Every structure is written in C-alpha cells, then in structure tokens.
C-alpha cells in the first residue's frame, strides 16, 4: 500500500521534510502508522507518538484503518525549538470557506472586515475577539511569532466550530479569520466575530469559539525569542479524538 503522510511544524523540522512517501505491505491502523514512523525517525519519535493523525481532514482514533488513497496528516501538539525556521511570508494568498465566514492567510487581518461578516439587522449584539502577539510571558521576551497551518483542515474545523455554535446558540452567527506567517509584537493573529439577538449568547459563543479553536484547529505558532525558539500547537486542550 502506497501512503503519503503530510508533516507540519516541529515534526517537519526534525525530520527535514514536509511529506513522507511510504510503501506498507498491509493495511495499517492509525496507531500502527505512528509506531512505524516513530521507529523510522527516532529523532522525532517522542513527538510522533504524542501527535494526532488526521485522515481526509478528520481526526482519527487509533484503531481506524488507513486505506490507500487517504489523505493522511500527522498533527503534532508541541515541539521543542530548532535553529531552522520555516517562513512562508512570501505567500500572500488568503484561503476562505465557501460561505466566506472563515479565512486563513498571510495578509494582515482586517478587524472591521471580519466583524462585518456577522452584523445583521436582526442581531442586537456583536462581539469581536482580537488575538495579538504578546511581547512578555513572565521573564521571556518574544521577538515575533510565525504561524503555520494545515490549511484545508483548518478551514473545515473552523467551519465545524461555527456549526457547533449555531447548534448551541440558535440564530448566532460566527466568523473567524486567522493569520499565517510572521506576526510581529502587537499585530493581530486571529479575529473571531460573533453576533446574536442577545448579548449573553454572544459572550458565551465567543469564549466557546476561541477555546474550541485551540483544541481542534491544526494551526501552530513558533515563538521566536531573543535566545531561541519553540513550536507550540493549539492541540493541547482537554480533548481526545478517542472520546
């Protein structure tokens, strides 16, 4: 069975490539694939074993069997820093969902543009959350951040968050825009806009959106410090595809 595995963030750095082509003599489960990769790439084995696997842009539990032709991605949670940095700043394209509510790209974000997507005549409350790059975390000074994403899955999972919000707070509307590439101190990395007929729903849905984004959206940030760097992933929350 021929299999192609997409790699991101710290795993891609440690292995030195963003895609692995495999020939496996039998159908493998998610857990078997992770163990195979961990043994093949011992320099990244700990990170591989702690990663999640996505099949066709859906997180897959360990027992799921991978079929030839599946799009397989290794989704790392957090990785230690490396000297090498990957930058895609030259890419300026913005990718959007079909409905236009969810977008991800390298251009600076417009707060007004994202907010305008959810403002309607029948909603009396609109709340916009703006995430920016913080300079100091304790005694550690951040120089800038670099964001990377599994773009098509990031869009689909952001849309999933919006669908969950509609289910929990009927009538509520959500839009999410996320930045990729280099984001300097005080620049905006994410904008989440929520509108609702009532303000309480807007507050609750906004908090839900940012927490859920941290749990399931495959976006990684590399913190660049004065004396080093470290990859950090959103997928560190109390969430497990097995449950």
């Amino acid at each position: 069975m021929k299999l192609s595995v997409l790699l991101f963030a710290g795993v891609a750095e440690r292995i030195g490539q963003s895609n692995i082509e495999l020939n496996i003599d039998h159908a493998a489960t998610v857990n078997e694939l992770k163990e195979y990769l961990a043994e093949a790439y011992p320099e990244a084995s700990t990170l591989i074993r702690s990663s999640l696997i996505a099949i066709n842009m859906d997180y897959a539990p360990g027992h799921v069997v991978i079929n030839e032709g599946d799009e397989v991605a290794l989704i790392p949670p957090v990785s230690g820093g490396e000297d090498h940095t990957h930058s895609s700043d030259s890419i300026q394209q913005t990718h959007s969902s079909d409905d236009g509510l969810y977008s991800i790209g390298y251009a600076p974000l417009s707060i007004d543009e994202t907010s305008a997507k959810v403002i309607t005549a029948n909603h009396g409350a609109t709340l916009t959350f703006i995430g920016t790059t913080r300079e100091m975390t304790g005694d550690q000074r951040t120089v800038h951040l670099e964001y990377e994403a599994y773009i098509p899955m990031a869009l689909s999972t952001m849309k999933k968050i919006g669908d969950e919000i509609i289910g929990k707070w009927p009538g509520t509307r959500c839009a999410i825009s996320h930045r990729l590439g280099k984001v300097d101190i005080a620049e905006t990395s994410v904008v989440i806009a929520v509108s609702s007929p009532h303000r309480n729903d807007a507050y609750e849905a906004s908090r839900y959106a940012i927490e859920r984004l941290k749990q399931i959206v495959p976006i990684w940030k590399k913190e660049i410090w004065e004396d080093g760097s470290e990859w950090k992933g959103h997928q560190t929350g109390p969430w497990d595809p097995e449950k």
Side-chain angles (χ1 to χ4, degrees), residues 118-152:
V118 303
I119 295 175
T120 72
N122 293 320
H123 285 184
T126 300
L127 187 66
T128 303
F129 170 86
I130 305 161
T132 58
T133 301
R134 182 178 61 232
E135 182 176 18
M136 299 301 298
T137 303
D139 296 328
Q140 185 79 282
R141 178 177 180 268
T142 297
V143 178
H144 66 265
L145 302 177
E146 292 180 4
Y147 283 90
E148 178 181 332
Y150 180 14
I151 292 174

Side-chain angles (χ1 to χ4, degrees), residues 101-102 118 158 161-162 165-166 172-176 192-195 209:
L101 292 174
Y102 310 97
V118 303
M158 284 193 286
I161 292 169
I165 285 173
I166 292 172
T172 299
R173 187 172 174 86
C174 177
I176 304 173
I192 298 175
V194 176
S195 70

Side-chain angles (χ1 to χ4, degrees), residues 26-120:
H26 66 282
T29 65
V30 165
N31 283 341
E32 287 171 342
L33 174 63
K34 286 171 62 175
E35 192 59 31
Y36 177 89
L37 292 172
E39 292 178 0
Y41 300 95
E43 69 276 19
S45 60
T46 300
L47 187 54
I48 290 170
R49 289 189 174 103
S50 66
S51 296
L52 300 174
I53 291 283
I55 300 176
N56 301 322
M57 294 185 288
D58 282 323
Y59 291 107
H63 67 273
V64 171
V65 176
I66 303 168
N67 298 308
E68 188 167 14
D70 284 340
E71 180 171 302
V72 181
L74 191 69
I75 310 293
V78 176
S79 163
E82 307 284 347
D83 291 334
H84 169 72
T85 60
H86 171 73
S87 176
S88 302
D89 289 0
S90 60
I91 303 174
Q92 294 299 318
Q93 182 179 4
T94 296
H95 304 263
S96 299
S97 59
D98 291 341
D99 58 12
L101 292 174
Y102 310 97
S103 65
I104 188 166
Y106 295 84
L109 299 179
S110 168
I111 298 166
D112 289 343
E113 182 179 316
T114 303
S115 298
K117 294 177 180 179
V118 303
I119 295 175
T120 72

Side-chain angles (χ1 to χ4, degrees), residues 162-179:
D163 291 342
E164 290 174 354
I165 285 173
I166 292 172
K168 290 177 176 291
W169 297 278
T172 299
R173 187 172 174 86
C174 177
I176 304 173
S177 301
H178 208 294
R179 180 89 177 269

